[in-house]
Amino acid sequence: MGLRSKEEVQKAIRAWLKRTEKAFDPDFDMLVEPDLQDRWKSRVGLPETSRGYHGVSQTSAYYALSLLRANEKTERATRILRRVLEARVYDEASPRYGEFKLIYEALDDDVLDSNTTFFVCFSLLVAAFEYGARLGDELVTEIREACALIPPEKYAGDLSVGYTNARLSKCCVNLAICEWIGDWDRFEVSRRHFNHFYDVNMSRGIPERLSATYYMVDFVALGLIFRYVKDLEIRQKSQRLVTLFLQELFFFGDRQPIPARRTYNQNVGA
């Protein structure tokens, strides 16, 4: 198992951007979602353009970040991110207030998938922290304000598999957001989440070790902490968790399922 060089990563990003280009809808500044799942068809309104429905998280948001990473079409990336910021629940009376929708055209406060918000934040936070100078102060402020509205995670003291993947990712996103906006009460709730996850998984290993998908999700989440969160205790524990993940990957390397049971390698119709 070897690490890719920066040049190899950049080459892979550019190749993905080239394939994805044909899914871009210039009339709405988002990527078209090629295959709307049957379970969602009754939960979306009419598409915004004749091209079809528009994906938000692992499609448009990642596309915008990839454009920034490749130093291509910054103006387009900016327009996409503004569209992504529109794809939120605006009803203050809704328990989903502030969350992002999986499909832009999702009705009312239906986000379709509760994991969408942390996937979107992977892109928004990195875009703001790494490429803020290119995006401009106004858009970075809009991203910061949108992140501040994301509902905090409620603490749950169970020891279930829920303390892997989605729960960890939401926790890591919240830690990064709370430091950014200076919400220290919320930061301490997220710290409690994180410490619970750390204690459970350092003692028993990662329960969902057979999901190659969620290993990658967890790596991204921990990388977000290690790069952007300043709290020393959290950073040190993140480093130990990454070490544990790597040990398990090496040990179970020849037994990883192909393909993973759940995969976020997106088919964007390109």
Side-chain angles (χ1 to χ4, degrees):
M1 184 184 298
L3 297 177
R4 290 188 177 186
S5 66
K6 289 184 178 180
E7 292 74 19
E8 289 175 314
V9 171
Q10 194 78 347
K11 182 178 179 180
I13 291 173
R14 291 185 186 281
W16 183 78
L17 286 172
K18 185 176 181 179
R19 295 195 305 273
T20 307
E21 175 70 23
K22 63 183 69 174
F24 179 69
D25 184 351
D27 294 328
F28 201 66
D29 293 322
M30 296 190 90
L31 294 188
V32 174
E33 188 75 31
D35 300 309
L36 192 67
Q37 295 186 26
D38 289 339
R39 63 192 173 114
W40 292 334
K41 289 181 179 178
S42 64
R43 299 161 63 183
V44 297
L46 295 174
E48 293 289 341
T49 72
S50 60
R51 289 284 303 273
Y53 292 99
H54 298 86
V56 177
S57 59
Q58 300 102 288
T59 46
S60 296
Y62 286 11
Y63 179 58
L65 180 60
S66 296
L67 288 173
L68 294 169
R69 176 68 176 81
N71 199 21
E72 295 182 3
K73 302 177 181 176
T74 298
E75 185 178 347
R76 175 185 287 190
T78 299
R79 296 198 308 270
I80 294 170
L81 289 174
R82 284 207 157 92
R83 282 292 189 200
V84 168
L85 291 176
E86 291 176 3
R88 290 182 285 146
V89 175
Y90 286 94
D91 181 2
E92 295 185 26
S94 170
R96 295 287 188 187
Y97 176 56
E99 290 190 34
F100 287 88
K101 300 181 177 185
L102 182 68
I103 304 295
Y104 186 94
E105 292 88 350
L107 292 170
D108 303 321
D109 66 347
D110 190 348
V111 298
L112 302 182
D113 186 333
S114 61
N115 290 336
T116 299
T117 293
F118 76 76
F119 278 118
V120 173
C121 285
F122 283 163
S123 295
L124 291 181
L125 291 171
V126 176
F129 293 155
E130 297 287 339
Y131 307 108
R134 286 163 56 193
L135 296 177
D137 291 343
E138 182 179 347
L139 180 53
V140 171
T141 298
E142 290 175 20
I143 292 172
R144 186 178 185 275
E145 290 174 349
C147 288
L149 289 178
I150 293 171
E153 278 288 285
K154 294 181 179 179
Y155 180 74
D158 66 88
L159 303 180
S160 70
V161 72
Y163 267 93
T164 62
N165 53 73
R167 186 68 62 81
L168 172 62
S169 297
K170 291 176 182 177
C171 176
C172 292
V173 163
N174 268 286
L175 286 167
I177 289 173
C178 291
E179 262 203 358
W180 191 20
I181 66 177
D183 188 339
W184 302 113
D185 290 339
R186 181 170 157 187
F187 185 90
E188 290 306 316
V189 173
S190 295
R191 182 199 298 276
R192 188 180 178 196
H193 264 301
F194 184 84
N195 285 340
H196 191 136
F197 178 92
Y198 176 85
D199 292 340
V200 169
N201 289 279
M202 288 299 289
S203 64
R204 71 178 182 184
I206 308 300
E208 201 170 6
R209 64 171 59 91
L210 292 182
S211 173
T213 294
Y214 278 113
Y215 263 128
M216 297 306 104
V217 173
D218 291 338
F219 270 124
V220 171
L222 290 168
L224 193 73
I225 280 188
F226 200 70
R227 188 166 180 87
Y228 302 120
V229 174
K230 298 176 182 177
D231 186 278
L232 182 59
E233 178 197 18
I234 297 294
R235 288 172 57 84
Q236 289 175 337
K237 288 183 175 180
S238 297
Q239 187 175 22
R240 295 185 196 115
L241 280 170
V242 168
T243 300
L244 174 65
F245 273 51
L246 287 172
Q247 289 172 341
E248 291 207 352
L249 277 175
F250 280 119
F251 184 77
F252 294 103
D254 60 344
R255 282 167 275 181
Q256 293 296 322
I258 301 175
R261 183 167 67 88
R262 287 171 285 186
T263 179
Y264 292 122
N265 294 326
Q266 295 299 295
N267 170 16
V268 294

